[in-house]
């Protein structure tokens, strides 16, 4: 009865062990990389969905009561409403500013329905479901200076103003809550502008037989 390995068996065993120690780390590394990429993609899709939700809400909470172009404190004079009740370039019956309603301040307002306008999202940090994934979506909304006739691009965060204008600047940051997992803290940033042009309402008519 044989009590030991032959030289061939020993060499063969060493080759198998060497292959295992060479291949397994690479397999684990690829698996971790695929998981990280999956988390990033999920975070990006979530940010796009949140972006669509924010853009679908009213420009200002007052637009839930009035479809007017609202009055602002620090807007460009070119966008002001004239004495006829509509903005330059508009006409009677378009989105007017006949009620002379001022835009409200940024942020969620007490006594108002939650998330009825886009700046209600300024204090929201949206973690994914059950916090099983280590990212969050942070939203920030500010007023920026209105575009003037001499500007070729929209205003950015360097032109933020505390007073109301006709232009809101919205930023959605996609951040990792565990830097070691996603390799970098900031995954992406989405930026868009929203303008004080009144609220669109769809008229409905009842069906008659």
């Amino acid at each position: 009865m044989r009590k030991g390995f032959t030289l061939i068996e020993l060499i063969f065993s060493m080759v198998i062990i060497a292959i295992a120690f060479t291949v397994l780390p690479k397999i684990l590394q690829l698996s971790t990389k695929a998981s990280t990429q999956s988390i990033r993609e999920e975070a990006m899709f979530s940010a796009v969905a949140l972006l669509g939700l924010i853009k679908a809400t009213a420009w200002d909470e007052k637009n839930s009561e009035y479809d007017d172009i609202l009055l602002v404190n620090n807007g460009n004079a070119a966008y002001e409403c004239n004495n006829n009740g509509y903005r330059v370039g508009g006409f009677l019956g378009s989105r007017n500013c006949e009620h002379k309603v001022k835009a409200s301040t940024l942020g969620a307002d007490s006594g108002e329905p939650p998330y009825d306008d886009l700046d209600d999202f300024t204090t929201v940090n949206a973690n994914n479901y059950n916090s099983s994934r280590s990212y969050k979506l942070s939203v920030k909304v500010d007023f920026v200076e209105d575009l003037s006739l001499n500007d070729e691009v929209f205003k950015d965060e360097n032109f933020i103003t505390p007073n109301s204008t006709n232009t809101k600047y919205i930023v959605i940051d996609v951040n990792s809550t565990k830097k070691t997992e996603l390799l970098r803290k900031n995954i992406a940033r989405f930026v868009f502008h929203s303008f004080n042009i009144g609220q669109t309402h769809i008229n409905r008519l009842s069906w008659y037989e």
Side-chain angles (χ1 to χ4, degrees):
M1 183 176 179
R2 191 177 63 180
K3 295 183 180 181
F5 292 103
T6 65
L7 182 59
I8 299 292
E9 291 172 333
L10 184 60
I11 293 174
F12 187 70
S13 299
M14 293 174 65
V15 170
I16 292 177
I17 293 172
I19 292 174
F21 275 99
T22 303
V23 174
L24 282 177
K26 292 185 177 181
I27 293 176
L28 293 175
Q29 184 179 10
L30 288 173
S31 176
T32 302
K33 187 175 181 180
S35 177
T36 300
Q37 185 64 27
S38 174
I39 295 173
R40 286 178 181 168
E41 290 177 355
E42 180 183 322
M44 296 286 282
F45 284 127
S46 297
V48 171
L50 181 60
L51 176 64
L53 175 63
I54 295 173
K55 291 178 71 174
T57 58
W59 187 81
D60 186 272
E61 65 182 25
K62 297 298 183 182
N63 289 131
S64 60
E65 303 174 45
Y66 308 95
D67 59 358
D68 284 18
I69 295 170
L70 302 176
L71 305 182
V72 297
N73 294 325
N74 197 34
N76 189 301
Y79 303 107
E80 291 182 2
C81 292
N82 58 28
N83 294 328
N84 295 321
Y86 51 85
R87 182 176 283 170
V88 175
F91 55 90
L92 189 62
S94 63
R95 296 177 194 171
N96 307 136
C97 35
E98 55 186 344
H99 293 95
K100 309 297 183 188
V101 180
K102 276 197 170 185
S104 56
T105 56
L106 294 178
D109 299 280
S110 60
E112 297 291 336
Y115 309 118
D116 62 341
D117 65 331
L118 59 85
D119 59 70
D120 284 352
F121 290 84
T122 54
T123 57
V124 170
N125 285 330
N127 290 303
N128 71 307
Y129 176 72
N130 205 26
S131 297
S132 58
R133 300 281 193 173
S134 53
Y135 66 84
K136 68 177 181 179
L137 311 177
S138 301
V139 185
K140 194 171 188 303
V141 183
D142 290 293
F143 285 113
V144 292
E145 295 178 14
D146 290 335
L147 191 72
S148 71
L149 297 178
N150 296 322
D151 293 327
E152 296 180 356
V153 296
F154 291 124
K155 301 294 187 180
D156 59 21
E157 59 189 351
N158 295 321
F159 296 90
I160 288 175
T161 172
N163 297 316
S164 60
T165 67
N166 293 289
T167 311
K168 288 182 178 178
Y169 179 78
I170 299 92
V171 177
I172 301 178
D173 280 314
V174 186
N175 296 321
S176 167
T177 56
K178 296 180 181 178
K179 189 173 181 180
T180 54
E181 182 174 337
L182 292 182
L183 304 181
R184 57 184 180 181
K185 187 172 180 60
N186 298 318
I187 302 174
R189 167 172 281 196
F190 293 83
V191 176
F192 72 99
H193 295 78
S194 184
F195 306 98
N196 177 24
I197 57 174
Q199 186 72 1
T200 301
H201 294 279
I202 300 176
N203 293 326
R204 297 180 296 174
L205 297 175
S206 301
W207 288 91
Y208 295 96
E209 296 182 359

